[in-house]
Amino acid sequence: WAGAAFVAPGTPESESSYYGLMTIEDIICGSADGAFPGLLRLMHSYLDSLAMRLEDRDRINRYLELIRVRAEGSVLTDAAWARAFVMGHPDYKADSLVSETINHDLLEALRQISAGEAAAPELFGDIDHCPTHAARPHAERKVIRVGAGAAAAGASNADA
């Protein structure tokens, strides 16, 4: 939970509605009761007021969508993804030790993802996180899955 301060126009500061408990999802996406619009809605309103190229707005929208799905918890954060990769690695012995092999495979998986050679749906969902990779169809990329059921090919958690 995160505490957030917001006030409706004309509301005295002394009223208890000035403060409210909000989740990260509420802060980013807006509260369910509509009392707080959410940072994304405010950002979209601001962006709507700007004159910008469609390509630029599309790129910004992709990043804002990533922020939204991360706030909702429907995709993993970078840290959660890396933890799941390590814990699902065939060489991990649940002893809190990350071997050189696991570390190498993790870094190789991250290199492949950042180069657009592999997709990581648990990390980005259906969002193409890098516009330069959009020209390369998802079907041509290997998919790196994390967790206990991950296949072992290429980097230890990657399947071709």
Side-chain angles (χ1 to χ4, degrees), residues 9-150:
T11 303
E13 287 187 31
S14 61
E15 284 192 22
S16 62
S17 65
Y18 183 72
Y19 291 98
L21 284 177
M22 295 170 49
T23 64
I24 293 297
E25 182 179 1
D26 292 338
I27 294 168
I28 300 296
C29 301
S31 59
D33 63 4
F36 183 72
L39 297 177
L40 286 178
R41 186 177 306 160
L42 297 173
M43 292 173 72
H44 280 293
S45 292
Y46 172 71
L47 291 169
D48 289 343
S49 72
L50 301 177
M52 67 172 56
R53 294 181 319 156
L54 183 60
E55 298 84 22
D56 295 336
R57 180 64 187 262
D58 286 344
R59 185 175 189 169
I60 291 169
N61 284 343
R62 275 196 300 274
Y63 288 113
L64 294 177
E65 177 65 8
L66 178 59
I67 291 168
R68 184 190 65 77
V69 296
R70 290 238 172 118
E72 291 176 349
S74 56
V75 296
L76 298 175
T77 63
D78 296 349
W81 187 89
R83 263 191 308 279
F85 184 97
V86 169
M87 292 175 71
H89 195 283
D91 290 352
Y92 185 65
K93 297 173 179 51
D95 56 4
S96 298
L97 298 176
V98 179
S99 70
E100 191 173 320
T101 301
I102 297 170
N103 193 42
H104 173 272
D105 290 348
L106 174 62
L107 293 175
E108 177 59 20
L110 293 171
R111 186 202 63 76
Q112 291 173 3
I113 293 165
S114 66
E117 297 168 8
E122 295 96 345
L123 191 56
F124 297 107
D126 293 332
I127 300 164
D128 197 343
H129 68 286
C130 183
T132 60
H133 301 159
R136 186 173 187 173
H138 283 289
E140 293 179 10
R141 298 184 206 166
K142 99 168 75 168
V143 176
I144 298 177
R145 300 258 180 218
V146 295

